[in-house]
Amino acid sequence: MKELPKLPFDNPAVLGIAPRMRALQQEGPVARVRTAGEDAWLVTRYDEVRALLADRRLGLSNPYPERSVKSAARSTMMALMAGDDYATEATDHPLMRELLVPRFSTRRMRLMKTRIERHVDELLDEMAAGPAPADLHRALSFPLPTMVVCDLLGVPWGDRERFGQWARGTFDQSDGRHSANTFQQVVDYMTELVARKRIEPGDDILSELIAEKNGTLSDAYIAQLGCAVLLFGYETTIVRIDLGTLLLLRNPDQRALLAEKPELAPAAVEEILRLAVGGKGSNALIPRYAHSDITVGDTVIRTGDAVLLAIGAGNIDGRAFPDADLFDLTRDKPKSHLAFGHGTRHCIGRVLARIELTAVFERLFRRLPDLRLAVSEESLRWQEHRITGGFDEIPVTF
């Protein structure tokens, strides 16, 4: 019997899709693979990934949970998305989206644009005035999304640093006890914050949720929603700022074009979102379970089977994107990438993420035109143990 390919695949590069992932994509749209917890179907081609993202027969919860082994971090992630229980997902997950989607309306996010741009300007000014080399991650990538999510939730300014560290601890798959303990700190903090806002409401998401449904939502449930906004609301944006900077440093002609024409920043953001895969690529896999039988090409995915939707591989599928590996700000009417998913579970915070990333990449290389890595790219360390991946340090000089 042929041994199944085992995830995560080795990747000699800091950025990009692992060679084994590319090879499987060439062989066909679906492959059986082995993971640390269970065997799964890996879907790698754009059309099939996109279709399955919108397929209601795939869910977050496992119909047969006794068959799978999840880390504490992964279990927490599923619970925050109201997708940890097969019996309740069909009602709980839509309710979560019903309550949170209006909080992230395009209109509201655009009203935040000026504040976000001011945050970026202040952070870049501080970085430029400081010594070089500096750590781009600590100076810009980490604080900006943290500031934004604190603004959204009405979190006191002095608490933003520990908020940022909590997300890292919660999504650490290497230490289940640390992950669980860190998440409990988030829950305790958010529960206390909700109680305070019942007495002194503000212009923030938690205060709005307190008033929802005639004030009948419990503090515990509002705190759960707040935890979801916090933990999903900024870690991926932090990762994208770091990866986007590296992609632009790798492509000096495109960086120069962006510095000359900052109006191309939205196009740069879409290319960053499409190509921003780091390390062994775990940040570009969306896990699902089949809630009924699904046929994909010649493959029948059975009820209860684990499915991994490789959005990173789909985003470099040459069938969908000509010259897919090229970072090109002038692509002519490109297809929609899959970085934010597709269909009913399309990322709630996608408009906000685009605004933050656009504000950064409109300014970064104009403010610091000589920005470059202070170390070799190969020496950067991707954090494989975190679900979201990411770097802890990006040394740069300018």
Side-chain angles (χ1 to χ4, degrees):
M1 183 176 178
K2 185 178 179 182
E3 186 175 352
L4 294 178
K6 187 174 181 179
L7 285 168
F9 299 139
D10 287 336
N11 191 1
V14 175
L15 302 179
I17 303 298
R20 188 74 175 103
M21 184 79 75
R22 290 176 180 271
L24 289 175
Q25 186 183 70
Q26 292 306 310
E27 292 173 13
V30 186
R32 193 70 169 160
V33 297
R34 182 148 292 158
T35 74
E38 59 198 334
D39 291 351
W41 295 106
L42 177 69
V43 188
T44 55
R45 291 185 180 174
Y46 178 90
D47 286 344
E48 286 79 6
V49 172
R50 190 172 189 271
L52 288 172
L53 283 167
D55 196 318
R56 293 180 179 273
R57 293 172 295 176
L58 281 182
L60 300 164
S61 57
N62 189 346
Y64 308 111
E66 67 280 359
R67 295 182 185 177
S68 63
V69 179
K70 287 190 180 70
S71 66
R74 184 69 66 180
S75 296
T76 296
M77 176 176 277
M78 293 299 105
L80 284 171
M81 292 191 288
D84 57 327
D85 189 335
Y86 179 70
T88 61
E89 179 186 344
T91 54
D92 289 356
H93 183 77
L95 175 59
M96 182 197 76
R97 293 188 66 90
E98 175 193 332
L99 290 168
L100 289 183
V101 167
R103 317 274 87 84
F104 288 84
S105 68
T106 299
R107 179 180 177 277
R108 180 180 193 158
M109 295 301 100
R110 286 178 177 162
L111 288 173
M112 293 185 66
K113 183 172 180 287
T114 300
R115 183 185 296 182
I116 290 169
E117 291 173 342
R118 185 168 64 249
H119 286 328
V120 174
D121 287 333
E122 291 170 353
L123 290 169
L124 288 176
D125 285 345
E126 289 175 15
M127 185 175 169
D135 180 3
L136 179 88
H137 179 84
R138 294 296 307 177
L140 175 65
S141 311
F142 180 84
L144 174 65
T146 308
M147 291 173 173
V148 172
V149 81
C150 286
D151 289 343
L152 277 172
L153 291 170
V155 172
W157 201 244
D159 291 341
R160 67 183 187 186
E161 180 68 22
R162 57 174 167 162
F163 257 48
Q165 297 304 327
W166 281 339
R168 308 234 145 157
T170 297
F171 291 147
D172 185 345
Q173 299 187 93
S174 66
D175 187 335
R177 178 175 293 181
H178 175 60
S179 173
N181 289 343
T182 302
F183 179 59
Q184 188 57 52
Q185 292 180 63
V186 181
V187 172
D188 292 345
Y189 180 94
M190 200 65 67
T191 302
E192 180 185 339
L193 186 59
V194 171
R196 293 207 307 265
K197 288 186 179 297
R198 279 201 183 274
I199 300 170
E200 297 180 6
D203 181 18
D204 57 73
I205 285 177
L206 294 179
S207 299
E208 291 176 9
L209 290 171
I210 288 168
E212 272 286 334
K213 297 190 179 296
N214 298 316
T216 59
L217 298 179
S218 70
D219 282 14
Y221 186 59
I222 295 168
Q224 178 185 331
L225 295 174
C227 290
V229 171
L230 166 66
L231 295 172
F232 294 132
Y234 68 98
E235 183 69 15
T236 54
T237 306
I238 293 171
V239 173
R240 291 286 173 38
I241 295 171
D242 283 341
L243 289 175
T245 302
L246 293 178
L247 283 165
L248 283 159
L249 291 175
R250 271 190 173 189
N251 294 272
D253 57 333
Q254 298 296 295
R255 183 185 72 215
L257 180 62
L258 177 60
E260 179 187 347
K261 298 181 177 180
E263 66 271 18
L264 288 174
V269 167
E270 298 311 306
E271 283 290 86
I272 289 166
L273 290 166
R274 185 176 70 83
L275 293 171
V277 178
K280 296 182 179 181
S282 58
N283 69 313
L285 296 173
I286 294 182
R288 294 286 185 264
Y289 288 96
H291 286 186
S292 59
D293 291 357
I294 304 171
T295 300
V296 181
D298 297 329
T299 301
V300 178
I301 299 172
R302 299 295 183 188
T303 302
D305 283 356
V307 180
L308 294 171
L309 302 176
I311 57 173
N315 282 337
I316 54 96
D317 186 351
R319 299 162 192 81
F321 300 96
D323 298 317
D325 287 314
L326 288 181
F327 185 89
D328 183 3
L329 306 189
T330 60
R331 286 187 178 273
D332 184 29
K333 298 179 181 178
K335 286 192 174 185
S336 299
H337 57 72
L338 305 171
F340 292 126
H342 176 67
T344 57
R345 291 194 175 95
H346 209 186
C347 175
I348 291 172
R350 61 190 182 275
V351 174
L352 178 59
R354 283 185 166 110
I355 290 171
E356 290 181 66
L357 292 168
T358 299
V360 168
F361 292 109
E362 276 178 344
R363 291 163 170 75
L364 180 60
F365 291 99
R366 284 191 297 154
R367 186 67 181 84
L368 301 170
D370 296 321
L371 184 76
R372 60 194 183 278
L373 284 176
V375 298
S376 67
E377 185 180 280
E378 293 73 24
S379 69
L380 299 176
R381 291 288 171 260
W382 184 260
Q383 303 302 310
E384 296 288 349
H385 61 286
R386 289 203 295 263
I387 291 176
T388 51
F391 301 99
D392 285 339
E393 185 180 29
I394 305 284
V396 295
T397 189
F398 41 85

